[in-house]
């Protein structure tokens, strides 16, 4: 957790990575009229990071992964936990196995929680996925993860993502 988000030595829930007072990654997934998928992932980095730290955004399969046969996934939150699970790749591979996007995102979150249950209580990681059929879904560790959807009919859909806690 970022040091600037602690309050009196304890996690301040409203300041967890991904919430309203914190900066974080922006991931985008798109499906064009011809059925081609694409994705992009930014990062604003982590404050007070160790020199030389590399987050999940530049690592293929961690912060972003797109397979034009199946779908795409992106993540936001504490990148080290996403890297340990090659999170976005995992989400796409689960969709390849037949998982709907939201369930694939949930499984990736559950793997993070299973590996580090105490750490998971103090951090935020969220996944967003889009499959080749245009179905989308998201899931996060903590509440407060929302995502936007834009289609031909409506360009301002904001969806509160589901979460474990």
């Amino acid at each position: 957790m970022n040091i600037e988000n602690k309050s009196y030595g304890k996690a301040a829930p409203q300041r967890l990575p991904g919430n309203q007072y914190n900066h974080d990654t922006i991931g985008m997934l798109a499906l064009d009229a011809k059925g081609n998928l694409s994705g992009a992932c930014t990062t604003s980095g982590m404050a007070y990071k160790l020199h030389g730290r590399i987050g999940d955004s530049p690592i293929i399969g961690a912060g972003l992964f797109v397979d034009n046969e199946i779908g795409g996934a992106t993540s936001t939150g504490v990148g080290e936990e996403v890297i340990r699970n090659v999170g976005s790749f995992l989400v796409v591979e689960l969709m390849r196995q037949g998982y709907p996007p939201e369930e694939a995102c949930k499984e990736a979150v559950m793997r993070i929680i299973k590996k580090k249950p105490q750490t998971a209580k103090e951090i935020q990681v969220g996944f967003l996925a889009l499959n080749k059929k245009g179905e989308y879904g998201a899931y996060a560790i903590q509440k407060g993860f929302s995502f936007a959807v834009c289609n031909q009919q409506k360009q301002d859909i904001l969806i509160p993502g589901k979460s474990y806690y």
Side-chain angles (χ1 to χ4, degrees), residues 95-129:
M95 289 192 296
R96 184 185 309 277
Q97 294 173 25
Y99 281 65
E102 183 180 298
E103 290 302 310
C105 292
K106 182 178 180 180
E107 177 62 28
V109 164
M110 296 311 295
R111 288 192 187 186
I112 291 169
I113 293 169
K114 183 179 178 183
K115 285 182 182 179
K116 291 189 163 186
Q118 287 307 113
T119 300
K121 292 176 183 177
E122 304 254 333
I123 64 167
Q124 175 69 305
V125 172
F127 290 97
L128 173 66

Side-chain angles (χ1 to χ4, degrees), residues 27-39:
M28 296 153 275
L29 301 168
L31 180 65
D32 71 14
K34 294 181 180 179
N36 292 306
L37 291 155
S38 62

Side-chain angles (χ1 to χ4, degrees), residues 67-86:
D67 181 330
N68 203 37
E69 292 181 6
I70 304 301
T74 186
S75 67
T76 186
V78 179
E80 286 81 355
E81 302 311 320
V82 176
I83 293 166
R84 284 184 181 92
N85 293 279
V86 195

Side-chain angles (χ1 to χ4, degrees), residues 140-153:
I141 295 175
Q142 309 287 341
K143 291 179 181 165
F145 178 70
S146 59
F147 61 101
V149 175
C150 178
N151 60 32
Q152 289 178 328
Q153 292 77 34

Side-chain angles (χ1 to χ4, degrees), residues 32-48:
D32 71 14
K34 294 181 180 179
N36 292 306
L37 291 155
S38 62
C41 185
T42 70
T43 185
S44 57
M46 181 181 280
Y48 308 107

